[in-house]
Amino acid sequence: MRAARLIKMVLLLQSRPSMTASQLARELEVSERTVTRDAQALSEAGVPVYADRGRAGGYRLVGGYRTRLTGLARHEAEALFLSGLPSALREMGLDDAASAARLKVTAALLPSLRDASRTAAQRFHLDAPGWYQDPGTPELLPAVAEAVWDDRLVLARYRRRASDEVERELAPYGLVLKAGVWYVCARAGDDFRVYRIDRFASVDVSETRFVRDEGFDLPRFWAERAAQFARSILRAEVTVRLSEDGVRRLPHAVDRAAADEALAGAGAPDAEGRRTVVLPVESAEVAYDQLLALGPEVEVLAPAALRERFAGTAERLRDLYR
C-alpha cells in the first residue's frame, strides 16, 4: 500500500513543477504529516525530492529526475482508452486503474504537453443516460466487468421475467452502455446473446478462462443486434397521410429506421400536398402516443379503431378549446 503511494507521489511530482503538501495530501488521500514522512522516505531512498519552505513552498524533484516506472500494465492501457468515460469506469470498478494510467502517461509526456488531460476534459464529456432518467448502477456490474477484462467464464442466474430465472454458463465478450443501461454481450454455447446486467440475480466468476474468438467485433455485433431488436418489435402497421411538415417531423416522433423505410416507399403528394405512407409500429397503442405529437400534420387512415380514437381525441380537444 505504501509502496504504491510512494510511486504515485513520485509520478505526481514528475508531472508538475511543484506541489504543496496540501495538494499532495489531497491527491494521495492522506494527511500532510504522512506526505512529509513519505517525502523523507523517498529522499533517503535516493529520489531527489526537495522541499521549498515558506508560504509559496512545496515539494519538487530536482536535477531533471525522471522515474522509469512509467510502463503501462495491460489493464491500465485498456482503461486508458475509456478515460473519457469517468462514470462508466467508476461503475465497472476501473477508476483506480484509469487514474494510474493517466498519471503514468502524464509523467512521461513533455512539459509542453502535460496539460493535455485538462484541455481534453474541458472539450469532451459523454453523458450516457437519457433525459429524465436516474439510472442506478447494477450491483453485479463490477463482477461482470472483471470477467470481461480477464476472459473468465461466469455462471449466472438471469431473470427473464419476474418469476422466471434461468442459469447459464457465459463467456462474456464485451460490455455496452446504452442510454444509461448496461448490457453484456456473451457467448452461451455456440450463440452470442445480449443480457441486461440489472437482470442478473447472481454472477459467479470462474477461475477458468475462455478462448476468445478474435473475429468477434463488438461494435458491429451490437449494431446488428440493435437493428434486429428494433425490427422485431415493429409487429403492426398503420396507414397515415402526412403534410409536408408531418413528413419532416415523422422521424423524430417514431422509430427513425421505420420512418425512413415508410417514407422511401411513399408515393407522390396528393392534391392537398399530403403523402400516404404505411408505417411499421410496435402496436396501435404505441402508435397513438407517438403520432399524437404530430397533431394536425398527420391523419390516420387505418386501422379503423385507431382512426376512431384520433377522431374522438380531436373532438375532445375541440370542445376543450371552444
Side-chain angles (χ1 to χ4, degrees), residues 3-4 15 35 151 175 178 191 313 320:
S15 64
V35 169
D151 292 343
L175 296 167
K178 170 67 173 179
D191 298 326
T313 300
L320 181 64

Side-chain angles (χ1 to χ4, degrees), residues 2 30 92 120 155 169 190 205 210 221 237 257 266 276 286 298:
R2 190 190 184 199
V30 296
M92 288 188 290
L155 186 64
E169 184 180 62
D190 295 328
V205 181
F210 63 88
F221 171 80
E237 288 183 346
T276 299
V286 172
V298 61

Side-chain angles (χ1 to χ4, degrees), residues 36-312:
T36 301
R37 288 198 297 264
D38 286 352
Q40 183 176 352
L42 287 171
S43 182
E44 292 173 354
V47 178
V49 178
Y50 181 78
D52 291 313
R53 305 298 179 185
R55 292 181 58 186
Y59 293 92
R60 59 186 175 88
L61 295 175
V62 297
Y65 179 85
R66 299 188 66 79
T67 177
R68 296 181 181 273
L69 298 173
T70 54
L72 288 174
R74 171 173 288 274
H75 70 289
E76 293 171 341
E78 290 169 339
L80 186 62
F81 285 100
L82 297 173
S83 59
L85 314 175
S87 60
L89 286 168
R90 183 171 57 253
E91 292 176 8
M92 288 188 290
L94 294 174
D95 49 342
D96 288 341
S99 175
R102 286 193 296 269
L103 191 56
K104 289 182 178 182
V105 169
T106 301
L109 291 174
L110 294 172
S112 60
L113 299 178
R114 285 179 185 163
D115 66 343
S117 61
R118 178 182 61 81
T119 57
Q122 289 174 338
R123 289 164 174 80
F124 176 76
H125 171 69
L126 176 65
D127 183 11
W131 288 104
Y132 317 118
Q133 296 181 14
D134 186 18
T137 302
E139 181 180 350
L140 297 173
L141 175 60
V144 177
E146 176 190 354
V148 169
W149 295 124
D150 214 19
D151 292 343
R152 293 187 183 273
L153 294 171
V154 300
L155 186 64
R157 293 195 63 82
Y158 188 74
R159 294 186 293 268
R160 293 191 297 191
R161 287 178 291 274
S163 59
D164 182 18
E165 287 188 5
V166 294
E167 188 172 78
R168 294 282 188 270
E169 184 180 62
L170 304 175
Y173 269 60
L175 296 167
V176 175
L177 176 60
K178 170 67 173 179
V181 179
W182 283 96
Y183 299 86
V184 60
C185 302
R187 191 180 67 217
D190 295 328
D191 298 326
F192 283 95
R193 300 181 182 179
V194 176
Y195 300 88
R196 277 184 63 141
I197 295 179
D198 58 7
R199 292 184 182 171
F200 282 124
S202 65
V203 172
D204 294 322
V205 181
S206 170
E207 293 297 320
T208 304
R209 286 185 167 88
F210 63 88
V211 178
R212 179 176 288 268
D213 179 359
E214 296 302 327
F216 179 79
D217 185 316
L218 179 60
R220 183 175 62 196
F221 171 80
W222 176 259
E224 291 173 353
R225 286 304 172 93
Q228 290 173 10
F229 174 76
R231 288 194 297 269
S232 70
I233 64 174
L234 302 178
R235 302 186 181 95
E237 288 183 346
V238 297
T239 304
V240 297
R241 289 176 70 232
L242 298 163
S243 68
E244 183 178 345
D245 191 42
V247 168
R248 180 182 59 81
R249 292 167 54 188
L250 184 66
H252 303 286
V254 302
D255 179 79
R256 179 175 290 275
D260 291 342
E261 178 183 337
L263 292 173
D270 58 22
E272 297 179 8
R274 289 182 173 255
R275 300 176 67 185
T276 299
V277 303
V278 178
L279 178 69
V281 295
E282 185 175 346
S283 66
E285 184 69 29
V286 172
Y288 173 80
D289 292 335
Q290 293 175 331
L291 296 175
L292 197 60
L294 299 182
E297 309 307 324
V298 61
E299 177 191 1
V300 176
L301 301 179
L306 184 59
R307 178 178 174 85
E308 292 174 4
R309 186 174 181 185
F310 268 86

